[in-house]
Amino acid sequence: MRTSIIAFALGVWLCQGLPELPGTGWLLALLAASGAVAAASWRAEARTRLAGLCLLALAAGFVWSAGRAQWRLADELPMAWEGREVVVTGVIDELPRTLDRGVRFVLRVESASAPVLQRMLVSWYAPRARAGGDEDAGDEGQVPPLRPGERWKLTLRLKRPHGLANPGGFDYEAWLLERGLRATGHVRAKGENILLDPLVADPMVLVHRLRDSVRARFIATLPAAEYAGVLVALAVGDQNAIPQEQWTVFRKTGVAHLVSISGLHVSMVALAIGGMAGWGWRRIPALTLRFPARKAAALAGLAAAAAYSLLAGLGIPTQRSLIMLSVVALALLLGRESAGSRIIALALFTVLVVDPWAVLSAGFWLSFGAVTAIMYVVGGRAGSMPGWRVAVTTQLAITLATVPALLVLFNAFSLLSPFANAFAIPLVSFLITPLALAAIVLPFPPLLELAHWLTGLMMVALQWLADMPFAMWQQAAPPPLIALAGIAGVLWLLLPRGTPARHAGALAMLPMLAWSPPRPAPGEFRLTVLDVGNGMAVHLQTAGHDLMYDTGPAYGPDVDAGERVLLPYLGAVGVRRLDRLVISHDDLDHTGGAASLAEGVEIADIRADLPPGHRLHAGRAAPVSCVAGERWRWDGVDFEVLHPGPGENPRRDNDKSCVLRIAAPGGSVLLAGDIEVRAERRLLERSAAALASDVVLVPHHGSRSSSSAAFIEALGAKTAIFTVGYLNPFRHPHPAVWARWSASGARNWRTDSQGAVRVDVRESGVSVEAQRLIAPRYWHGR
């Protein structure tokens, strides 16, 4: 059975890597053929029969996953309705999430003026503040307080699921697909936005209303408390109030799992309630004679876990934890003394039947990896080990077992995780979480105040650990074969004491920990134009140097492209230090991620013309401005600043952009910032011949105020890259500009539809590829 379930999981995983889904006919043929093979092998020897069953299970997993995907993708927003106003009546379906200027919520659609979907993710923004304190409503209106269960009539502007596509980046489209959110949109202020009903009662709506009330009461009880967000997260699963600084501490110390309602918390509640129920049941002989205390404890624990999972909103990670616990409880109720590995296999099968997209989630791999590691090192040995040693062995096993997954998924792992978890797990599990849950039932403020005080003590210790220079191990994600070798090393290292050459497992882990991605050869370079939405960010790498040109936009007061895109990307490609940062000019779509980037990696030198109060100046000397004529050479690659000229001070900020040309024997690239026609004319007057390049980052995102015919002709580029956001409000690139570059003989690329664009300039010439073409998935663009 276990082998067949692993084959089923493999089939599910293979399906989720497809660029396109096969048709229904192909799926039925695959299932029929594998069934025929399994039937033919049934009377054969045991090994052949097992192989036939595994083939059938593999096909079943593949077909089940593909069938579910076809069904979910069928619920889609027609492309003709993207960007158009739609009047929708629906119910707020989950706990609304507070944003910097508004709120985001899931809307369950009841009726609409267009063929829209069953569930969508909607944002409602407050007006932007103009200079002088005036409000500019634009597309947005004032945001009323929203609660789960309210029925609204809203005027929305919708779009199909779309996310940024970068190496090492988060797949937002897959996240939406798993949750059944098949469109996103925002509320239009000028439309009809009316509250129709304050409460549409159904079971889950009432649960979310309770969660909303608990959240409001916690925040009102601890209005200025630094860690109130942690207590809210532990009680009702809403992590929105935890600031980014605290998440950084959790990540560096490896305790982020403690503030997410997942397997640990659900299991602890089940064990606590089940243990108390079993203790009481045994003391009533009449009950014990009618129904075994062990089974009563299992039922009580499962009921408590289900109630806690509901209170947490029954999100995807919580669902997985509840399913795993239900399998264990069912085995106890049926009186089946199953091996731990069989229970894990059944839980794996159940999770993937319910949610075949779980294999795309980091939490899936980490949770099953941790549980498997515990069973691997403790199963059959716990009875002969002291309690303290079981705890230490378990924590070390989890830490070692999750290292390969953390490197592949996040390019980092905490070196201090065992020490941090040693005191954080008991504090959170036995004191802080029980106090927070007790405060839900008993509205007694001292309970929350005590929980907050204990959380503060824990955070002091965690902050001290996080500030250590060796808190995190960071490197590029290893390739699959090296990661598999590391997993094998971990398994060998965790074998029982006395196993011959057990410590040799550490040697198998060394290639994984020492691996770094290949860099360009001397005289060659690689340019990656990142997909940052409405903005620009470019990474250039030579044999021994790294340069970043612009840093993308700010997405909000506390969120920017530096944090969301640049740092994850640099971690994925193994870059911890930038030799130079060039900021083309002082526009927020080019400078928005600069401060976050400077906090995340070391920057040796900065070229930028920024105002004195800019955040990038903090703790460092003022950056040096770009000036035409500046040249340098790295590893056989030449860099030259072409604009602005000495003493030039253009009136328009765009025309102050730093224009940089990079040349190697195999080809050249021009990075033109946001220059417009006037600056293009100055460049042509200064030296038209110096502009000739094989690849160009099209000026000003393809705006009609740039890319004059003379400029395009002088470049003679064969590749033109447009950095644009999906359905951006500026409608970049302009059709006339796109057509001019195409007519010149250049092949046009655009980040909104193709993702990050990588240009490799080798001795043999120039090659270009895009992220959505390198790693296509069937849900992209759907």
Side-chain angles (χ1 to χ4, degrees), residues 551 581-583 586 590-599 601 603 605-624:
T551 61
L581 169 63
V582 177
I583 303 291
D586 186 23
H590 296 253
T591 66
S596 295
L597 179 67
E599 291 173 3
V601 297
I603 301 175
D605 179 66
I606 299 177
R607 292 288 188 271
D609 184 10
L610 300 173
H614 195 276
R615 291 172 60 195
L616 195 60
H617 292 201
R620 62 173 71 243
V624 178

Side-chain angles (χ1 to χ4, degrees), residues 16-20 171 770-780:
Q16 302 303 345
L18 291 176
E20 292 184 11
D171 194 334
Q771 182 66 20
R772 290 186 186 268
L773 302 179
I774 298 171
R777 294 294 182 266
Y778 66 81
W779 56 83
H780 287 169

Side-chain angles (χ1 to χ4, degrees), residues 377-378 381-397 418 421-423 425-426 430 497:
V377 300
V378 177
R381 293 183 251 171
S384 61
M385 297 167 62
W388 66 267
R389 189 172 161 192
V390 171
V392 171
T393 301
T394 298
Q395 185 56 50
L396 289 176
N421 279 284
F423 65 83
I425 288 177
F430 301 119
R497 288 197 305 172

Side-chain angles (χ1 to χ4, degrees), residues 103 160 255:
V103 65
R160 293 154 68 90
V255 300

Side-chain angles (χ1 to χ4, degrees), residues 76-138:
E76 64 179 354
L77 177 71
M79 294 185 69
W81 282 94
E82 279 194 302
R84 295 171 59 180
E85 290 190 2
V86 178
V87 178
V88 174
T89 298
V91 177
I92 297 177
D93 201 30
E94 295 179 5
L95 205 62
R97 178 185 177 188
T98 303
L99 305 176
D100 298 314
R101 289 193 305 108
V103 65
R104 182 168 292 148
F105 56 94
V106 173
L107 187 70
R108 187 175 75 240
V109 177
E110 295 178 325
S111 63
S113 63
V116 296
L117 314 111
Q118 299 174 3
R119 281 163 52 89
M120 59 183 66
L121 189 63
V122 178
S123 301
W124 196 337
Y125 295 108
R128 295 181 184 273
R130 283 179 175 172
D134 295 334
E135 297 293 327
D136 175 22

Side-chain angles (χ1 to χ4, degrees), residues 495-561:
L495 287 171
R497 288 197 305 172
T499 301
R502 181 167 66 102
H503 297 293
L507 297 177
M509 296 179 64
L510 288 179
M512 176 182 68
L513 298 174
W515 188 83
S516 61
R519 299 178 66 97
E524 301 178 350
F525 67 90
R526 174 176 299 141
L527 186 91
T528 304
V529 181
L530 295 168
D531 180 11
V532 294
N534 290 318
M536 187 178 293
V538 182
H539 173 232
L540 187 139
Q541 187 174 68
T542 66
H545 295 80
D546 290 273
L547 177 144
M548 184 68 69
Y549 180 90
D550 284 342
T551 61
Y555 303 127
D558 301 315
V559 183
D560 57 53

Side-chain angles (χ1 to χ4, degrees), residues 34 37-39 41 47-57:
S34 57
V37 171
S41 63
R47 289 185 180 181
T48 304
R49 184 165 61 249
L50 178 61
L53 286 174
C54 287
L55 178 63
L56 179 59

